[in-house]
């Protein structure tokens, strides 16, 4: 099931604007990666399917996941995220550089609400809608799920949409860093600032703040 789902994700061409953009990124490349072959396709989730915690980002980064072929791999956001995941003992190493770097997650899975990189990190509503089926199935596959940590507001809203679409869940809940909500199936939904360079450089998030939130969630599950 998991492999079939991932194969369907990788082959998907449903959003013309995003198919065009991921091709453009992968052909033009960033100067420092000019000799690399970019992955250039949609990105699947990664980690422990038996995990209790799901981390959700918005979409693969242009020169991160879209280049390397793995979610949160090979860019500044992943550098920051994995320092925190390692400190919380969720990952076996503090870096996520490329597909064969030996990275493993313990008790956790990571994915994105949208599987293709959108221009300006701003997806259109119909693109999120198109991709929701994949996101929905990925969550359904996590049978031991106890907590969902949404990295940023759009990811948080996609998670809320998942619960509203699949359960009689009508509460109005709003993203906030460290805010914890109980959603159906006794799952906790947690808001967390995205580990983007912008959030890190402005001091909105730092390693201690993010690691402490992960440690708190680990205790709750
Ligand atoms: S964003 Fe999702 S639905 Fe759209 S082309 Fe990529 S994988 Fe397919």
């Amino acid at each position: 099931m998991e492999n079939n789902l991932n194969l369907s994700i990788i082959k998907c061409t449903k959003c013309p604007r995003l198919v065009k953009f991921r091709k453009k990124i992968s052909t033009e490349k960033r100067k420092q990666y000019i000799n690399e072959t970019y992955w250039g396709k949609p990105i699947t989730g990664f980690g422990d399917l038996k995990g209790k915690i799901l981390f959700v980002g918005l979409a693969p980064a242009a020169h991160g996941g879209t280049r390397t072929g793995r979610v949160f791999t090979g860019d500044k956001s992943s550098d920051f995220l994995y320092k925190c995941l390692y400190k919380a003992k969720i990952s076996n190493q503090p870096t996520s550089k490329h597909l064969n770097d030996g990275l493993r997650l313990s008790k956790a899975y990571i994915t994105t609400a949208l599987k293709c990189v959108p221009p300006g990190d701003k997806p259109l509503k119909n693109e999120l809608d198109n991709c929701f089926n994949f996101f929905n199935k990925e969550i359904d596959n996590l049978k031991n799920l106890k907590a969902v940590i949404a990295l940023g507001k759009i990811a948080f809203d996609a998670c809320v949409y998942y619960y509203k679409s699949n359960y009689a869940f009508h509460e109005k809940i709003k993203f906030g860093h460290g805010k914890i909500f109980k959603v159906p199936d006794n799952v906790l939904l947690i808001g967390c600032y995205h580990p983007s360079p912008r959030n890190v450089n402005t001091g909105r998030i730092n390693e201690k703040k993010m690691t402490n939130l992960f440690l708190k969630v680990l205790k709750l599950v």
Side-chain angles (χ1 to χ4, degrees), residues 9 12-15 18-19 22 42 114-116 127 130-131 134:
I9 292 174
C12 183
T13 55
K14 208 168 175 183
C15 310
L18 301 186
V19 171
R22 72 191 193 210
L114 192 78
K115 311 299 178 200
C116 294
E127 292 163 349
N130 286 347
C131 217
F134 291 142

Side-chain angles (χ1 to χ4, degrees), residues 121-145:
D121 286 330
K122 289 192 172 61
L124 303 176
K125 188 180 175 306
N126 74 303
E127 292 163 349
L128 280 164
D129 289 348
N130 286 347
C131 217
F132 181 71
N133 188 34
F134 291 142
F135 182 53
N136 198 104
K137 283 185 181 156
E138 278 186 313
I139 301 183
D140 287 348
N141 282 344
L142 299 171
K143 304 295 181 205
N144 301 323
L145 191 63

Side-chain angles (χ1 to χ4, degrees), residues 86-104:
Y86 181 67
K87 280 186 182 168
K89 297 193 169 63
I90 293 171
S91 66
N92 67 330
Q93 57 190 49
T95 56
S96 171
K97 297 291 185 198
H98 54 83
L99 278 183
N100 301 314
D101 60 4
L103 179 66
R104 286 194 315 277

